[in-house]
Amino acid sequence: DPALKRHVATEMAFERTLAKVPKIDVPDDAVCYICLDGGDVLRGCACRGPSAGFAHVDCLAEMAKRNEWIVVEGRQQLSRWIACATCRQPFTDTLQVEMARRRWRHVRDAPVVSEDKRRALRGVVVTLRDEIDTAVRLAEEATQGLTRDDYRVLVFEMARATEFSQTNLGTALEMLTSLRERIWRYGDARLQSLHAQVMTLILREMERSREALPFAAESVELATSHYGPESAQALSSRCLHAKLLADVGRVQEGRAELERVLAAQTRVLGAGHPNSRITKAALDRVSAMSA
C-alpha cells in the first residue's frame, strides 16, 4: 500500500527528529494543567512555576482539534498546534515535534488537500526540514495546484534550498538569493525570519561573516517583532548575531550581547536549557578571545 508506506516513512522521520532535539528535565510531581493528571507531561514554552506549562501532548492536541485558534486582541493570531495558549510562545524542542506529529496524524488521511490540511502540512514541513526527503514530499502534497508566489510554494522552495545547503553551499545561496524578492513580497515575518537566518548560517559556514551580519541583524529584528523579544527564536537569533560580531573583530560588542542573551535565556528558559548552554559555550569562547 503506497499510502501506508508514506505514513510509515513520515513516522520514522518524526522519530529521527525527536532523537536530535534537546530533552528537558520534568519534575517528578509535575502534572498536566489541562487534565491535572501526572505521567508523561512536557513543557516547551516560556511558562514557569511548579506546574505551569506542563501538559500531556494528547491533551494539547485535543484542545487544538476542538478550538485551534488563540484570540489575541480580538483576532485569531496563534494556532494551538504551534503555540502555548497561556504565554503565547511557539512550542520548542520535543513538544514542538510531538505537536507537529499529532497535527499530521489529524489530517493525513483527508482525501482532499483542504486549506486546513495545507496549513498543517506547512507546519510539518518546517518541523521536519532536516528530513529532506519527507519534507519535500509533504511540501509537494501541500502545494498541489498553487501558483509560483503562493506562501506554501515558497516554503517548499525554502526546504529545497535547505537540502542543497547540506551538500552545496553555493547552490543553496543562489536559491535563497533568488527567493528573497518573492518572500518579501509575500510579507510573512516567519518565512522572512527563517530566510534571513538560513542566509546567515550559510554565509558564516562559507567564512563570509561580514556579509552575514546584515542578515543576522534582520533575523533578530523579524524574530523579535513576530515572536516577542524574549522568545526562544529571538534569543537564538541574537546569539547568532553576537557570534558574528565576534567573528569580525567586534569582540567586546559580541561578548556584551551574549551576556545579555544568556541572562534572558536563564530567566525565561532556565540555565539547563540547551539554548542557554549553547549561548554559555559561545560566551566562554568569545571571553577567551578578549582575554
Side-chain angles (χ1 to χ4, degrees), residues 233-277:
Q233 292 84 349
L235 293 173
S236 292
S237 293
R238 287 175 59 191
C239 177
L240 179 57
H241 183 243
K243 288 189 283 189
L244 281 168
L245 289 173
D247 288 347
V248 301
R250 296 161 62 179
V251 177
Q252 295 303 327
E253 290 180 64
R255 178 179 178 178
E257 176 66 347
L258 286 170
E259 289 174 344
R260 290 189 289 267
V261 172
L262 182 59
Q265 288 175 326
T266 301
R267 183 175 63 257
V268 175
L269 303 174
H273 191 278
N275 289 6
S276 303
R277 293 199 294 267

Side-chain angles (χ1 to χ4, degrees), residues 26-55:
V26 178
D28 293 337
D29 58 350
V31 298
C32 174
Y33 75 87
I34 299 170
C35 71
L36 302 182
D37 286 337
D40 295 328
V41 294
L42 294 172
R43 178 166 67 185
C45 63
C47 290
R48 287 295 174 266
S51 61
F54 287 106

Side-chain angles (χ1 to χ4, degrees), residues 161 163-178 199 202-203 205-206 208:
E163 175 185 9
F164 275 102
S165 72
Q166 299 180 25
T167 57
N168 191 321
L169 293 172
T171 299
L173 186 61
E174 289 178 8
M175 294 174 68
L176 288 168
T177 301
S178 67
M199 285 285 290
I202 288 175
L203 286 168
E205 185 68 21
M206 297 173 75
R208 295 163 61 178

Side-chain angles (χ1 to χ4, degrees), residues 84-256:
C84 173
T86 303
C87 71
R88 299 173 186 170
Q89 176 179 291
F91 296 130
T92 61
D93 304 324
T94 302
L95 186 55
Q96 177 194 13
V97 180
E98 287 288 11
M99 284 298 286
R101 174 151 65 175
R102 298 305 194 282
R103 192 180 193 185
W104 171 73
R105 289 174 178 171
H106 181 54
V107 302
R108 67 184 177 189
D109 294 323
V112 179
V113 179
S114 64
E115 284 307 306
D116 284 345
K117 185 169 183 176
R118 289 189 197 276
R119 190 170 60 249
L121 290 176
R122 189 165 69 236
V124 172
V125 167
V126 173
T127 301
L128 296 180
R129 58 185 175 273
D130 292 333
E131 290 288 331
I132 300 300
D133 291 342
T134 300
V136 169
R137 173 171 54 79
L138 293 175
E140 288 175 339
E141 182 179 356
T143 56
Q144 293 174 13
L146 300 178
T147 62
R148 179 173 176 268
D149 284 336
D150 192 283
Y151 175 88
R152 293 150 289 191
V153 176
L154 295 175
V155 171
F156 167 58
E157 294 191 25
M158 280 289 296
R160 290 187 62 221
T162 302
E163 175 185 9
F164 275 102
S165 72
Q166 299 180 25
T167 57
N168 191 321
L169 293 172
T171 299
L173 186 61
E174 289 178 8
M175 294 174 68
L176 288 168
T177 301
S178 67
L179 274 172
R180 182 176 176 83
E181 181 181 349
R182 291 162 58 197
I183 288 173
W184 257 251
R185 184 166 62 242
Y186 188 87
D188 185 90
R190 291 170 299 177
L191 193 56
Q192 291 171 343
S193 178
L194 178 61
H195 178 275
Q197 187 174 55
V198 177
M199 285 285 290
T200 302
L201 291 168
I202 288 175
L203 286 168
R204 188 173 190 238
E205 185 68 21
M206 297 173 75
E207 299 183 354
R208 295 163 61 178
S209 293
R210 290 191 183 278
E211 294 176 60
L213 262 177
F215 292 104
E218 187 174 62
S219 178
V220 170
E221 181 181 353
L222 289 164
T224 300
S225 64
H226 183 74
Y227 296 110
E230 292 197 335
S231 64
Q233 292 84 349
L235 293 173
S236 292
S237 293
R238 287 175 59 191
C239 177
L240 179 57
H241 183 243
K243 288 189 283 189
L244 281 168
L245 289 173
D247 288 347
V248 301
R250 296 161 62 179
V251 177
Q252 295 303 327
E253 290 180 64
R255 178 179 178 178

